[in-house]
Amino acid sequence: GGSSVKIRGGNSIVGGSEPLYVIDGFPIYNSAVGNSGNPLAAIDQSTIVSVEVLKDASATAIYGSRGANGVIVITTKRGVSGQGNIDFDYYYGVQTVRNKIDLLNPVQFAQYANEVQQNLGNDPFYNDLNNLPARTDWQDEILRSAPISNYSLTFSGGNEKTKYAVNGSYFNQDGIIINSGFERGSVRVNLDQKVNKSVEIKTS
């Protein structure tokens, strides 16, 4: 599911309570519904340098009414002058259910149902306990061991006038519940160009 963040609780009964996300200067609203349009789901965590939380007057002073629910400022990696760098980050894991709920098998359920009816003074529901449906553990039917992996490749560098940082990443999470997977491919380019002593252009 999509990430939902509340800063000092809910601030509105009718409107949303999600903060405004600002990633490298670009404001992005969070729908908080699934992963579609969710800022935290759309960005590769390995590219994040800092996360700042603005609340109260500090948020509204800069972003006005858009910052009424608070502002989360995210800064990603940028290039630095000097030798170029190539960074590769990879991890792999497997997600499993830590503990499943113990359920009654068909015979145990039939015995329990009969005891309830007998306590109420009624005839038992099940007369033949040897002719019951086969047991199906629905937890086993929908849960599974699911792999999770992430690949991230970053090129960065530059000189006194031009600095760059280019990142490509691929994330895949199958999900322990069937059909609950999440897959993301992303490319991020940060380019800083110094025009002269007084003007510098930054692009993300």
Side-chain angles (χ1 to χ4, degrees):
S3 300
S4 178
V5 177
K6 300 290 188 296
I7 300 176
R8 288 193 166 181
N11 299 322
S12 174
I13 298 175
V14 180
S17 298
E18 292 295 317
L20 173 69
Y21 288 85
V22 179
I23 302 177
D24 289 334
F26 292 95
I28 302 175
Y29 290 98
N30 183 11
S31 63
V33 179
N35 284 313
S36 178
N38 191 299
L40 296 181
I43 189 171
D44 180 12
Q45 289 81 5
S46 64
T47 64
I48 296 177
V49 175
S50 65
V51 177
E52 299 179 60
V53 179
L54 306 180
K55 57 184 184 294
D56 301 333
S58 62
T60 56
I62 303 174
Y63 300 99
S65 60
R66 296 183 299 174
N69 295 327
V71 179
I72 296 180
V73 181
I74 298 176
T75 303
T76 61
K77 294 179 180 179
R78 308 195 75 87
V80 295
S81 59
Q83 184 177 0
N85 294 320
I86 300 176
D87 298 318
F88 178 71
D89 180 44
Y90 165 74
Y91 66 80
Y92 177 87
V94 177
Q95 296 176 306
T96 59
V97 179
R98 182 180 179 186
N99 185 32
K100 294 192 301 182
I101 301 173
D102 291 331
L103 303 176
L104 300 176
N105 61 38
V107 174
Q108 292 171 331
F109 179 82
Q111 292 173 342
Y112 175 75
N114 287 342
E115 289 178 7
V116 172
Q117 293 303 310
Q118 290 173 0
N119 291 336
L120 296 175
N122 301 326
D123 294 333
F125 271 143
Y126 303 97
N127 296 318
D128 186 4
L129 298 183
N130 295 320
N131 190 22
L132 294 172
R135 176 180 181 178
T136 300
D137 189 338
W138 295 106
Q139 296 174 102
D140 292 337
E141 297 298 319
I142 67 170
L143 300 176
R144 61 183 177 182
S145 296
I148 177 173
S149 60
N150 184 72
Y151 305 82
S152 179
L153 180 63
T154 303
F155 300 90
S156 62
N159 50 42
E160 295 182 357
K161 290 187 176 182
T162 304
K163 302 172 186 176
Y164 64 90
V166 181
N167 170 266
S169 67
Y170 173 74
F171 176 82
N172 187 26
Q173 179 181 15
D174 284 352
I176 59 174
I177 298 177
I178 296 175
N179 294 329
S180 69
F182 175 61
E183 186 177 16
R184 179 192 67 223
S186 64
V187 175
R188 175 167 291 273
V189 178
N190 290 337
L191 180 63
D192 302 340
Q193 179 66 43
K194 190 173 184 180
V195 180
N196 52 45
K197 292 182 180 181
S198 303
V199 179
E200 184 176 5
I201 299 175
K202 293 186 177 182
T203 303
S204 297

